[in-house]
Amino acid sequence: MSKFSSYLKQLFEASGESIAAVARDIGAERTSIHKALTDERVLPYRVVQALAGHFRLTLEEREDFFQFYEMLLQGEDAWRNQQAICDLFNHLADVRFAPSVSSVQLPPPPAAATLVEGEYAVRSVIRSVLAWETSQGEDVSIQMFLPAGLDLSQELLELWVAGATFRVEELLCSPVVTGSDCSRDIRLLERIIPLCLVSRGAYSPYYFRERPGTLDINPLNYYIITPHYMIHLSQEQSAAELHSQQPMIRLFSSHFQRLLERCDLLTSCTASILDVLRRYTDATSPETSFFLLCQPCFGRYVTPSFIQKYLRTDGSVPREQLYNMGNERFAMLRKVEKDYYTIFSEEGLQAFIDTGVLVEMPPEYVPPVEPADRLAFLTQLRREMETGVVIGLIVRPSYLRLPDYLELYFDAEGNIHFDTTNRFLHGAYCCDLRISEEYLRRAFYEFFQALPNSKMVYSKEDTLRILDEGIRKLESLSGAK
């Protein structure tokens, strides 16, 4: 019996009403409710709403009732995955890549072997070692196998933002995914994605799917390896042992490298602007396109004359090469005749209307778009949304928020790509992060497929109304009638 049917049965039992009486009151078929109680039929959303009103459910009860209904529609595993992806985007929207203003001076790491106890003391030693090592010069390499509850994302992020140059390889102790529930691994992306981007590919997360037989025997079985230090860590982070003997460091470093041979690299990153553009171009498929960005993806409306009008170059990349790559990609987007999804925020749409800034383009290559061209983009988008050629979805910020520094898209093979926009610390096209794990690809694809009929986006009618308001504003700015 599903959680929805169990909850519905409890509501009937608590009220003491008959199914026939409730069905008459809400205008539903009695047999439909009977079959819903035994999971033989899924009730229409309208009937579920009517039932919630009839039983006078409180806000908390309604939340549970509709949550169980969504789980029934999607399946529990798919529902968990969708919630995890929603939480991921909301988390990423809160990440701030600002330099630390902390003036706290950390003590240098101890020179001799030391046992440290207490979570605060353990964290302090880790911060001291990382700060000291990354201040010693370039090409510093750090290897990590951390307990699940220890998150060093903020420490690493602050060091990279401050300009430190170092590489990190991390083993992520992840269970083998069985079934279709991969919500735990999706939540790992909350810290992986920012680190991959801010390091511009210098952070490499590996999936460690095998549990060594001795993992539960040694009380200090996790570790951090740096060029000059070895930190053993306990599962609960209440104790750590610091070593500086080079033989110990070399032993564990060699062991770590052998473990990597049994692991899969979760992400693939490139920080070359030409490589990012080439990936972007090669990834574009005429069959289907999914784009998640704070503003609408207007690529299918970019013409060769538009590129000629706006394209600039700073000399680092030949203009002709940029023009050809851009024109090739946008020509492919114009060929998409179905399944063109553009998911954006009302805030991002309004920012484009007001400023003309295309956030996915580096400002040194593409200046703000003039009001008349903004109007042309929005008018074409509105027309194709109304006819169903384009599926344009504006997210409800109370459920789903989009990070303005990221664009997500799928390539022709179904791989997931996270690219930076010009609102990122290092700017647009500074990094492309690709995820090829099949079960993660499937979870994200199902998430986007389910969005049009979910509570996380506005209805098509409301979206068209918002676009109409933007069009009228641009008509007044451009003098168009």
Side-chain angles (χ1 to χ4, degrees), residues 26-184:
I26 66 174
E29 294 182 4
R30 177 179 56 82
T31 54
S32 295
I33 298 177
H34 265 295
K35 290 183 177 181
L37 287 168
T38 56
D39 290 327
E40 296 178 63
R41 180 176 297 182
V42 176
L43 294 172
Y45 185 70
R46 176 192 62 80
V47 174
V48 176
Q49 284 183 308
L51 286 167
H54 175 85
F55 290 120
R56 301 181 183 278
L57 299 185
T58 65
L59 288 176
E60 185 175 344
E61 290 170 337
R62 286 177 67 91
E63 185 174 344
D64 289 340
F65 190 51
F66 283 100
Q67 176 176 302
F68 293 149
Y69 179 66
E70 290 175 5
M71 293 171 71
L72 178 66
L73 288 175
Q74 302 165 18
E76 290 194 28
D77 287 351
W79 181 85
R80 289 191 187 94
N81 291 342
Q82 292 194 17
Q83 292 303 302
I85 293 174
C86 182
D87 292 342
L88 168 66
F89 287 122
N90 290 336
H91 171 82
L92 293 175
D94 289 331
V95 175
R96 295 294 176 262
F97 299 91
S100 174
V101 295
S102 173
S103 59
V104 177
Q105 296 296 315
L106 295 172
T114 305
L115 179 64
V116 179
E117 295 183 274
E119 289 188 41
Y120 178 82
V122 168
R123 196 79 179 217
S124 179
V125 165
I126 293 173
R127 289 178 63 90
S128 295
V129 169
L130 293 178
W132 186 84
E133 287 284 17
T134 56
S135 68
Q136 298 306 297
E138 298 184 358
D139 299 325
V140 174
S141 179
I142 298 171
Q143 300 162 322
M144 303 193 308
F145 179 42
L146 304 179
L150 180 58
D151 182 1
L152 298 180
S153 301
Q154 191 60 38
E155 286 84 351
L156 297 174
L157 188 147
E158 288 178 359
L159 290 169
W160 271 310
V161 169
T165 55
F166 62 100
R167 299 192 62 82
V168 173
E169 292 176 311
E170 181 176 7
L171 288 175
L172 302 170
C173 191
S174 175
V176 176
V177 174
T178 57
S180 55
D181 182 4
C182 56
S183 56
R184 182 187 182 278

